[in-house]
Each structure stands twice: as structure tokens, then as C-alpha cells.
Amino acid sequence: MVTDTLIGAVLTSLVFSTVVLGIFKWYPEGFVNEVSEGREPTPRTVRSAVSFVLVIASILGGMIATTWWVASEHDVGFGGRFLVAWSVIVIGNVVDLVVLDIVIYTWISPSFMEVPGYPPMHDYRYHAVGAVKGSTIIGLPAALLVAAVTTGA
């Protein structure tokens, strides 16, 4: 069960990393929130929304697929499914923190990851706090949702 969870988490991390790097490559402003209240959406804000949806879909899709896969191979209840789903998001956050944020973004700093008009964020603490928030504030409710959906609750 642990091996299957790790395989699913690594595959989810690869898909997530590919989506994030692709967005940075072809639309670097996709991670900048410039939606103002009371304004009509511009093509830029629509592209930002699509970028956000792609990132969320890659994470949730990986969580659901891995949880279903592990549940089909092993007899796990709601708690086991919750742990599998949460493990996927925690491992994904660690991969994002180490590979994308620290190694690629902070150390290598490719030019396509620079957002025009915004200073680079080379502060390790900022990225680490984001990983912890992603694993707890977003990860725990998402894992509960995935566990409920995959058990039919």
C-alpha cells in the first residue's frame, strides 16, 4: 500500500510540475492575481483562471486517481483513503518545495520563470511556509473530500 501511494504521489508530482513549468514557460503572468472587484474579465484574467484550474485539476486528479488505485488493490476504509490522499498532497508539496521552488526557481532561476514587473522571490522561508499551508489548509480538506468521494460517503 505504501509503495502504491508513493508511485501515485510521484506521478502526481510529475504532472503537477509539468503543468506549473508549462504555465511559467508560456504564460508567466498566470500566477499573478490581478482580478479586481467590479471589472470585466480581460483575456489576461481568463488565462490566469485557466492556469489556476489546470494546477488544481492536476493535484485533485492525482489524489483521486491514486486513492482509487490503492483502494482497488488493498482493503482500506475511509481513514486509509484519507491518509493516501493526504500523503499524495504532502509528497507533492515536498517535491514542489525542493525541486520547483528551491532548485529550479531559486538556484537555477531560468528566465522563463521571471514574471515581468515582479521581483523574484528567492526567500526559502516564503516557499516553505507555502508548502506547509498547502499541506494543511488546503491538503486536509481536500483529502477529506477525496476520501468521501472515493468511499461513496
Side-chain angles (χ1 to χ4, degrees):
M1 185 167 111
V2 173
T3 304
D4 293 342
T5 302
L6 286 173
I7 291 169
V10 168
L11 292 174
T12 299
S13 297
L14 287 172
V15 170
F16 171 77
S17 298
T18 303
V19 167
V20 169
L21 288 173
I23 291 170
F24 265 116
K25 176 71 176 165
W26 289 288
Y27 180 58
E29 298 89 4
F31 292 106
V32 179
N33 184 11
E34 294 191 0
V35 178
S36 300
E37 211 172 292
R39 291 190 179 176
E40 289 294 317
T42 64
R44 182 180 192 163
T45 57
V46 170
R47 286 191 303 265
S48 292
V50 169
S51 300
F52 178 76
V53 167
L54 287 173
V55 168
I56 296 303
S58 69
I59 296 168
L60 279 177
M63 289 172 72
I64 291 169
T66 302
T67 303
W68 260 323
W69 177 40
V70 171
S72 70
E73 298 290 321
H74 307 280
D75 185 27
V76 293
F78 180 84
R81 291 169 194 239
F82 168 78
L83 288 174
V84 168
W86 193 55
S87 297
V88 170
I89 203 162
V90 168
I91 292 168
N93 270 307
V94 169
V95 169
D96 173 56
L97 173 65
V98 174
V99 175
L100 289 177
D101 294 344
I102 294 176
V103 173
I104 295 177
Y105 184 71
T106 305
W107 292 351
I108 298 173
S109 298
S111 61
F112 72 85
M113 291 184 83
E114 295 174 9
V115 179
Y118 290 87
M121 290 184 259
H122 294 293
D123 178 19
Y124 297 113
R125 186 176 184 278
Y126 171 82
H127 295 291
V129 167
V132 170
K133 286 181 181 178
S135 294
T136 55
I137 296 171
I138 296 169
L140 290 172
L144 283 171
L145 176 69
V146 168
V149 167
T150 58
T151 56

